[in-house]
């Protein structure tokens, strides 16, 4: 078997070295395994894929840099890193932009966002092959249940080194505190911070329930994982193999999305309750307080950083998606 695998890799016309930042047990890795299996079989062995999981080749940002330079061909991008390579991708981290996963998925697959992806490929040398939600980011803390924006007052909330996240927590009266990911568990355990925000699946996977008491399902930012390929490599492929690559990436994204969606809505929430966390789902009226508190400050920040017309177009696109969804139900 080893000899056969080695022969396949040597005889392949194209070799893809791929890097992602999650463990081999994660839904993301399962999706990438689907990508590997599909691409290798559907290309008839013309493409060989080698996946390096769990940041073996460096952080998510490091791997994207390597993909940009062509050291590797494929990497994992997310809503927190893509804007470092193409600034308009910053929009993906906008708080309370999407009301649910379906709106997010429709936006990621919309003609509007396809155009953004093409411009990213042209200007950055990185092409986003496919993307999917890995769950909404939610707040946890050790002070009290956060049921409305007013409850954030004074809470020391850990945020990633993202200006958008800083603006969001500050707008609600909290104290945004950047802490490196590798130091987060210890910071919560020692009380350096009162809380943090991540998708529900991450709260479970990394045992944050051991050092956090309250979970609020406010769904403030859509977590997004993407498969990103070096544009020069992608264009070097014959057209039929480009189709194979895109199809495999879409299948990978769908695989991760399905498992993460079930985890975020059902299995992880149930397990966190069983592990002792107090889980709260805000009412529609309470959710409006979060959106109202953050809308103007976040839009003002976005329009300082990006073309205001682009920002307005994004909000208009999502409003249209929301209207289309409502109309489909009414029909």
């Amino acid at each position: 078997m080893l000899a056969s695998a080695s022969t396949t890799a040597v005889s392949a016309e194209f070799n893809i070295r791929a890097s992602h930042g999650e463990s081999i047990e994660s839904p993301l890795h399962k999706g990438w395994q689907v990508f590997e299996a599909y691409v290798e079989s559907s290309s008839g062995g013309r493409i060989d894929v080698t996946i390096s999981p769990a940041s073996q080749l460096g952080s998510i940002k490091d791997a994207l840099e390597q993909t940009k330079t062509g050291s590797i061909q494929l990497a994992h991008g997310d809503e927190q890193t893509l804007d470092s390579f193409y600034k308009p991708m910053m929009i993906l981290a906008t708080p309370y932009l999407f009301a649910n996963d379906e709106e997010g998925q429709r936006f990621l697959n919309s003609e509007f966002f396809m155009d953004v992806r093409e411009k990213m490929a042209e200007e950055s040398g990185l092409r986003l092959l496919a993307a999917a939600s890995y769950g909404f980011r939610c707040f946890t803390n050790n002070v009290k249940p956060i049921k409305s924006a007013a409850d954030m007052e004074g809470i020391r909330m850990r945020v990633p080194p993202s200006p958008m996240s800083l603006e969001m927590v500050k707008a609600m009266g909290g104290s945004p505190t950047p802490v490196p990911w590798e130091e987060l568990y210890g910071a919560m355990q020692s009380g350096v911070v009162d809380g943090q925000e991540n998708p529900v699946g991450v709260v479970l996977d990394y045992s944050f329930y051991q050092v956090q008491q309250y979970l609020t399902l406010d769904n403030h930012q859509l977590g997004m994982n993407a498969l990103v390929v070096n544009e020069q490599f992608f264009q070097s492929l014959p057209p039929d193999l480009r189709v194979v690559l895109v199809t495999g990436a879409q299948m990978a994204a769908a695989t991760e999305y399905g498992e993460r969606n079930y985890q975020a809505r059902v299995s992880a929430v149930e397990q966190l309750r069983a592990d002792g966390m107090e889980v709260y789902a805000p009412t529609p009226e309470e959710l409006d307080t979060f959106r109202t508190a953050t809308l103007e400050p976040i839009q003002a920040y976005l329009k300082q950083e990006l073309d205001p017309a682009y920002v307005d177009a994004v909000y208009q696109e999502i409003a249209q998606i929301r209207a289309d969804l409502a109309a489909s139900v009414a029909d």
Side-chain angles (χ1 to χ4, degrees):
M1 290 178 64
L2 289 173
S4 174
S6 177
T7 302
T8 300
V10 170
S11 62
E13 294 176 45
F14 302 95
N15 294 290
I16 293 177
R17 293 183 65 206
S19 171
H20 71 70
E22 297 192 13
S23 74
I24 58 173
E25 290 84 21
S26 68
L28 180 142
H29 184 69
K30 293 175 184 177
W32 284 47
Q33 286 179 304
V34 169
F35 171 82
E36 178 182 17
Y38 177 81
V39 168
E40 290 184 345
S41 63
S42 295
S43 69
R46 295 163 67 193
I47 301 177
D48 178 72
V49 180
T50 302
I51 300 171
S52 296
S55 297
Q56 291 174 4
L57 301 183
S59 68
I60 294 175
K61 188 174 181 179
D62 290 340
L64 285 169
E65 290 279 7
Q66 293 172 55
T67 305
K68 182 179 173 71
T69 62
S71 300
I72 62 177
Q73 289 70 47
L74 188 75
H76 166 202
D78 62 19
E79 80 286 354
Q80 302 290 342
T81 56
L82 288 175
D83 67 326
S84 297
F85 300 88
Y86 185 61
K87 199 167 184 180
M89 286 292 179
M90 175 190 296
I91 204 76
L92 295 171
T94 303
Y96 305 105
L97 186 64
F98 305 110
N100 52 58
D101 299 86
E102 182 60 20
E103 287 184 5
Q105 287 301 119
R106 290 201 181 199
F107 179 79
L108 293 175
N109 295 314
S110 66
E111 289 186 17
F112 178 92
F113 192 63
M114 291 293 180
D115 184 56
V116 176
R117 289 160 61 167
E118 286 298 323
K119 289 176 181 175
M120 174 179 165
E122 293 170 11
E123 297 183 25
S124 73
L126 295 171
R127 174 174 292 272
L128 195 155
L129 288 176
S133 162
Y134 64 84
F136 279 95
R137 298 175 79 93
C138 297
F139 292 115
T140 69
N141 82 101
N142 275 328
V143 178
K144 60 184 176 181
I146 298 175
K147 297 183 178 182
S148 68
D151 291 328
M152 186 70 72
E153 184 72 34
I155 291 180
R156 292 168 298 172
M157 186 64 66
R158 180 268 176 182
V159 293
S162 161
M164 196 91 72
S165 298
L166 287 165
E167 291 291 331
M168 171 185 65
V169 172
K170 188 167 64 174
M172 291 188 277
S175 177
T177 310
V179 173
W181 168 256
E182 59 272 17
E183 299 174 17
L184 175 54
Y185 188 97
M188 292 186 292
Q189 189 175 40
S190 64
V192 170
V193 294
D194 301 314
Q196 62 85 53
E197 46 86 49
N198 261 299
V200 174
V202 172
V203 176
L204 178 63
D205 291 349
Y206 291 90
S207 303
F208 289 170
Y209 57 85
Q210 295 177 346
V211 290
Q212 293 281 273
Q213 185 175 353
Y214 304 105
L215 167 63
T216 300
L217 302 176
D218 69 299
N219 296 339
H220 54 266
Q221 284 175 317
L222 186 71
M224 185 210 73
N225 281 329
L227 291 90
V228 181
V229 69
N230 175 278
E231 174 67 358
Q232 187 174 355
F233 171 78
F234 182 76
Q235 295 300 337
S236 76
L237 297 173
D240 63 320
L241 293 187
R242 288 183 223 156
V243 173
V244 167
L245 223 63
V246 171
T247 303
Q250 290 171 337
M251 294 170 67
T255 299
E256 181 188 10
Y257 172 62
E259 186 162 343
R260 280 295 190 190
N261 196 26
Y262 179 77
Q263 185 183 55
R265 302 289 177 181
V266 182
S267 61
V269 172
E270 291 178 351
Q271 187 58 54
L272 289 170
R273 282 196 177 105
D275 288 328
M277 288 198 84
E278 183 177 316
V279 181
Y280 185 75
T283 66
E285 293 75 20
E286 288 168 337
L287 282 174
D288 280 342
T289 69
F290 292 98
R291 295 191 187 100
T292 300
T294 58
L295 182 61
E296 288 188 9
I298 290 297
Q299 286 193 347
Y301 171 76
L302 285 170
K303 289 181 178 182
Q304 288 175 357
E305 299 293 318
L306 302 171
D307 180 356
Y310 169 69
V311 175
D312 288 338
V314 168
Y315 277 91
Q316 289 166 10
E317 177 69 18
I318 294 165
Q320 185 61 56
I321 289 170
R322 195 165 293 154
D324 290 344
L325 281 168
S328 68
V329 172
D331 291 343

